Amino acid sequence: MRIDVLTLFPSMFEGQMTEGMLWKARDRGLIDMRTHNIRDWTTDPHRTVDDTPYGGGGGMIMKPDIVARALEAVLNDAPAQTGSRTPVLLMTPQGRLFNHQIAVELSAHERMVILCGRYEGIDDRVRELLVTDEISIGDYVLTGGELPAMVIIDAVIRHIPGVLGAEGAAGRDSHAEGILEGAHYTRPAEFRGLVVPDVLQGGDHAAVERWRHEDGLRRTWRNRPELLRTAPLSDADRRLLAKFAREDAARARSNRDKRG
Ligand code: ADE
């Protein structure tokens, strides 16, 4: 996959590009990631990228001519892709909320282009003319789109075949099956009085899978119950959820009794 990032701060991506998973994926030729400094498309001596907003108000707005010129140059820099249109993603707190499903969908493209805004934002005509998708990573406002872009790149490339080793396949991730993953442990078998569950120490793979599934379901019940509304649940899962509910009710009763 080719990934182009347009930003005023390309150096922010150096760590991501030279460490860990992304570095290995680039080394193996699976990812061609390039950053582009939007300021390189300015034409005035001060290399101005922003201006005051029409209608007043605080903050500065990134100029449409500069950003559009940068985007078009980057888009035209590689031959047209086969099949679907190249996603041009604008990082914005007003976008649709990023999730596992969007990461998987994006990973199927041969190319994606990510536009990072700074200041109060980018003149809205760039969005209208050139952006295919507006993405937010959460309901909070960051000072720019660079951190969201890194989050998206990390989440997307894990789904490209060969990027993770077979042992780290993304299909088992939390969220891949609609619920969270079960707990993980390594040696020692006992740590500060806490013991790794027996079933994980034995060699019964089917029992291990069952334990992991149940533990993942329990974590989802405890931490992200809203996911259970859309997760594909078996009859056995529903019985487990009823059991968790009974356990919670019993615990609440016992806490009430202890308080007197
Ligand atoms: N830019 C600023 N805040 C953002 C957010 N939450 N998601 C995506 N881009 C942003």
Side-chain angles (χ1 to χ4, degrees):
M1 174 183 248
R2 170 154 167 192
I3 304 171
D4 291 280
V5 182
L6 287 91
T7 167
L8 289 172
F9 299 95
S11 63
M12 284 181 72
F13 293 84
E14 272 164 25
Q16 188 181 32
M17 285 166 64
T18 55
E19 298 287 343
M21 177 180 64
L22 187 47
W23 179 81
K24 279 194 217 139
R26 291 179 85 201
D27 199 46
R28 288 195 221 119
L30 298 169
I31 307 286
D32 174 5
M33 175 168 161
R34 307 177 192 196
T35 55
H36 309 272
N37 191 338
I38 296 169
R39 211 175 283 282
D40 291 346
W41 279 272
T42 54
T43 48
D44 67 315
H46 299 294
R47 296 176 35 99
T48 310
V49 289
D50 59 337
D51 204 341
T52 52
Y54 274 112
M60 298 291 275
I61 309 297
M62 288 171 69
K63 291 162 66 62
D65 48 340
I66 313 293
V67 180
R69 200 155 51 232
L71 252 180
E72 281 164 346
V74 168
L75 279 166
N76 290 333
D77 177 43
Q81 301 299 298
T82 53
S84 57
R85 190 167 162 204
T86 298
V88 178
L89 313 178
L90 172 63
M91 301 296 99
T92 163
Q94 300 183 348
R96 67 181 168 129
L97 206 52
F98 188 63
N99 63 20
H100 172 82
Q101 196 52 42
I102 300 176
V104 172
E105 277 163 28
L106 288 171
S107 72
H109 288 270
E110 290 168 50
R111 186 174 187 204
M112 67 176 177
V113 175
I114 304 184
L115 177 57
C116 307
R118 282 265 153 178
Y119 312 113
E120 279 302 293
I122 299 176
D123 184 293
D124 204 53
R125 289 165 290 187
V126 174
R127 180 190 62 75
E128 273 191 57
L129 293 169
L130 295 167
V131 166
T132 64
D133 217 339
E134 299 160 70
I135 303 274
S136 164
I137 62 160
D139 291 338
Y140 40 80
V141 178
L142 300 165
T143 47
E146 285 75 13
L147 290 171
M150 286 184 227
V151 167
I152 283 159
I153 291 165
D154 193 283
V156 168
I157 66 171
R158 310 177 77 251
H159 298 287
I160 295 175
V163 168
L164 297 182
E167 70 286 355
R172 282 201 308 272
D173 284 350
S174 285
H175 301 292
E177 289 165 352
I179 63 169
L180 306 179
E181 263 190 297
H184 300 286
Y185 302 95
T186 186
R187 272 176 281 275
E190 184 182 340
F191 175 67
R192 299 189 181 174
L194 299 181
V195 179
V196 174
D198 281 342
V199 59
L200 298 183
Q201 298 188 52
D204 182 343
H205 293 299
V208 167
E209 282 311 310
R210 271 196 308 278
W211 185 91
R212 287 190 172 144
H213 182 75
E214 175 169 342
D215 195 55
L217 200 60
R218 191 187 298 274
R219 278 155 193 267
T220 314
W221 164 264
R222 192 176 62 213
N223 295 342
R224 298 291 308 278
E226 78 282 7
L227 295 178
L228 296 170
R229 283 204 296 271
T230 46
L233 298 173
S234 66
D235 289 345
D237 291 339
R238 290 185 197 287
R239 282 195 293 277
L240 282 169
L241 292 171
K243 182 178 92 168
F244 302 156
R246 284 195 300 277
E247 286 170 359
D248 280 3
R251 208 170 301 119
R253 263 196 311 278
S254 125
N255 286 343
R256 255 197 322 272
D257 292 347
K258 268 189 225 144
R259 281 199 304 269

